[in-house]
Amino acid sequence: MPKIFGAALLVLALAAAPAATAATGPAARPGQTHGQAPGETAGRYIVTLKDAPAAGSAEAAVNAAVVRAASMGATVLHVYRHALHGYAASMTASTAAAVADEPGVRSVEPDRPVRIAAQSVPTGVDRAEADLSPTAAIDGTDTRVDADVAVIDTGIDANHPDLNVYEAGGKNCWLPILPPTDRHGHGTHVAGTIGALDNGTGVVGVAPGVRLWPVQVLSPFGSGSTSNVICGIDHVTEHADEIDVVNMSLGGTGKDDGDCGRTDTDAMHRAICNSVARGVTYAVAAGNDHADAAGFVPAAYDEVITVSALADFDGGPGGLGGSTCRTDRDDTFADFSNYGRDVDLIAPGVCIRSTSANGGYSTLSGTSMAAPHVAGGAALYRATHPGASPAEVKAALLAAGGMDWAWPSEDGDGVKEPLLQLGSF
Ligand SMILES: [Ca+2]
Ligand SMILES: [Ca+2]
Ligand SMILES: [Ca+2]
């Protein structure tokens, strides 16, 4: 006799580690910005002289102006003789006003702070060696990886300048009357790790510029139900000819029945198996309970690629990185990550900087952050192997994986899973 499951709608939780892992200070990374502190330019002015009346006299005019400024109490910082005629000086506002009244002076303007808008390569992209991938071609020029990745999550900020969001392919399974716009931040963070643009600003993803399909199944508070998730899988499967890869950084309790949901009532497993059979590769988070992933779905399903989280702080091997946004040991199994035989790969998932909602950036930790590195890697592979089946994509990722990370640390099983390595992709 069939059973009725009173709690058939599992409450799914984001696979991001809890509050303690949300970082506050990503801006301090060296090389990221070299902005001057506010006020550092206070008291500095740029003085532009009028054009000299005769050729050859500009040099003398500049020299005279510099001497004059010094006599008025200004400290001259730079002298300009080529791009324009003038100088920069440190002086009081009243001196600047007096200089502005000098007959040869065209203008006096306050100096202003500038900062480079340099793009930083997030540590996870570095640790997974996506920056060495010829397909990713990370060099600050906005060439885009030709693949489609669906993000089943809280939606994506479609207006984020660092993302290539395919809005027309989106779907909101949580509240169908609304577009799948991310009001939480989780889905946009996942999206950035997969495919933030290689455009010279912000961050860069594993597979820069891939088309990101926003599939919202979770509320702005990060919760949802299995029925919503299946709606998302259904949408992806409808577009299986276009979508290469799916990222699911979410999960609930459950197990793998070993038969794609045919012998019990696991509709989500059945849906994923059918979607995989249509050629879509699924990367999923192992979960953050520091427990065996066998007790969580979709992590437990054999048809997906299940990803545990590595604590890496410096983007490189060797265990030399010091803790940044949360405490852990460099190049070890993250202390919150789920483990077990269902885990296929480990990828960076601690203190990962990526895009956030409302056009911003944030640093988060969780297996939610690890899975999208693998989704990006799968997208790189599909971009160069368009006919590869999900099993072939998974095999390629596993074969390329590396063992250069410290084990067992907090890995609660007897198996050392390979670390995502994409330099040859
Ligand atoms: Ca960028
Ligand atoms: Ca490291
Ligand atoms: Ca393991």
Side-chain angles (χ1 to χ4, degrees):
M1 180 177 277
K3 283 183 181 176
I4 294 171
F5 292 99
L9 299 186
L10 293 175
V11 174
L12 297 166
L14 294 173
T21 65
T24 53
R29 286 183 44 182
Q32 188 176 327
T33 56
H34 290 297
Q36 292 171 300
E40 197 171 325
T41 55
R44 291 193 196 171
Y45 297 86
I46 297 166
V47 179
T48 303
L49 303 178
K50 294 173 181 169
D51 290 331
S57 63
E59 177 86 6
V62 170
N63 290 344
V66 166
V67 170
R68 173 77 180 140
S71 75
M72 296 168 73
T75 302
V76 176
L77 304 168
H78 304 281
V79 180
Y80 308 125
R81 304 183 193 278
H82 308 288
L84 53 76
H85 296 131
Y87 58 90
S90 177
M91 52 189 157
T92 64
S94 60
T95 302
V99 167
D101 287 331
E102 292 283 294
V105 171
R106 173 197 290 271
S107 66
V108 177
E109 61 194 281
D111 203 357
R112 283 190 304 239
V114 296
R115 58 180 182 178
I116 59 168
Q119 172 179 280
S120 67
V121 176
T123 52
V125 173
D126 188 5
R127 190 70 177 90
E129 299 194 334
D131 54 331
L132 303 180
S133 160
T135 307
I138 294 173
D139 60 2
T141 57
D142 187 10
T143 48
R144 303 185 177 190
V145 174
D146 184 16
D148 293 82
V149 182
V151 177
I152 297 182
D153 211 290
T154 57
I156 303 176
D157 175 4
N159 296 319
H160 201 296
D162 218 354
L163 297 173
N164 178 20
V165 180
Y166 180 49
E167 284 185 88
K171 172 97 174 176
N172 190 337
C173 295
W174 171 69
L175 196 58
I177 59 166
L178 294 178
T181 305
D182 185 17
R183 294 167 186 81
H184 180 283
H186 188 270
T188 302
H189 197 282
V190 163
T193 295
I194 296 167
L197 295 171
D198 188 18
N199 57 359
T201 65
V203 294
V204 63
V206 169
V210 288
R211 288 173 294 277
L212 297 158
W213 297 51
V215 182
Q216 181 170 0
V217 301
L218 301 172
S219 76
F221 305 103
S223 59
S225 64
T226 300
S227 62
N228 288 352
V229 174
I230 294 172
C231 164
I233 296 166
D234 197 52
H235 179 69
V236 166
T237 309
E238 180 184 356
H239 298 279
D241 291 344
E242 300 157 87
I243 295 172
D244 297 284
V245 180
V246 170
N247 188 89
M248 290 178 73
S249 286
L250 52 80
T253 55
K255 62 180 177 56
D256 184 351
D257 65 356
D259 191 24
C260 278
R262 288 181 182 83
T263 53
D264 65 13
T265 56
D266 190 347
M268 180 162 71
H269 196 188
R270 195 176 182 107
I272 286 181
C273 285
N274 287 333
S275 198
V276 170
R278 290 286 310 279
V280 183
T281 297
Y282 280 72
V284 312
N288 302 328
D289 307 274
H290 197 241
D292 194 322
F296 301 85
V297 292
Y301 302 150
D302 290 342
E303 294 77 18
V304 302
I305 304 173
T306 303
V307 187
S308 60
L310 180 81
D312 168 68
F313 298 105
D314 62 358
L320 302 173
S323 294
T324 53
C325 81
R326 76 191 302 277
T327 302
D328 208 324
R329 199 151 58 83
D330 190 47
D331 294 328
T332 65
F333 199 88
D335 56 14
F336 55 77
S337 179
N338 285 355
Y339 48 80
R341 292 174 54 87
D342 288 306
V343 172
D344 299 296
L345 281 166
I346 190 168
V350 172
C351 302
I352 302 300
R353 183 164 165 79
S354 185
T355 46
S356 189
N358 300 317
Y361 296 87
S362 65
T363 299
L364 296 172
S365 300
T367 53
S368 279
M369 286 67 239
H373 287 91
V374 172
L380 291 177
Y381 193 75
R382 282 276 293 194
T384 52
H385 303 76
S389 70
E392 289 165 343
V393 172
K394 185 174 184 174
L397 288 164
L398 291 174
M403 290 297 171
D404 188 9
W405 61 281
W407 184 84
S409 183
E410 289 92 355
D411 189 347
D413 58 50
V415 182
K416 184 178 186 181
E417 57 268 43
L419 171 66
L420 181 71
Q421 294 286 273
L422 300 170
S424 64
F425 271 47

